[in-house]
Amino acid sequence: MMKKLRRHITPARWRRIHFRLLGTGAFLLLLSLGLKGSPLDGIPVFAAMALTVLDIIGDVLFFRCPVCDGFLWEFWSGYCHKCGEYIDFKRF
């Protein structure tokens, strides 16, 4: 089941989801500054923390090399650091 899900959520798709999660988390933190002193003060902070945890779990599950299934933690060059395969985000 996980392989089928990984085929559907490619590293390129996860990267787009990742940036959306980070943007939403940043927005929620800014919203919490505007709600300072109100009864709803802590809700955006907890929601931002939940999105951060969801993002970390998604990174572990979906930001992997499609060839060798290695983690892409330090993905700066466009190549998998484990197998050397070039990963084109437009192809996946």
Side-chain angles (χ1 to χ4, degrees), residues 38-81:
S38 79
L40 302 175
D41 184 18
I43 294 174
V45 174
F46 288 122
M49 288 190 307
L51 287 177
T52 303
V53 169
L54 182 66
D55 182 51
I56 292 169
I57 292 170
D59 282 344
V60 170
L61 294 177
F62 301 116
F63 202 60
R64 294 175 171 256
C65 175
V67 176
C68 71
D69 204 33
F71 294 114
L72 297 174
W73 292 117
E74 296 178 10
F75 185 72
W76 299 105
S77 65
Y79 294 91
C80 174
H81 62 277

Side-chain angles (χ1 to χ4, degrees), residues 6 8 14 18 31 37 62 70 77 84-86 91:
R6 280 194 191 138
H8 181 66
W14 177 253
H18 165 77
L31 180 66
F62 301 116
S77 65
E85 179 73 22
Y86 178 72
R91 185 179 71 172

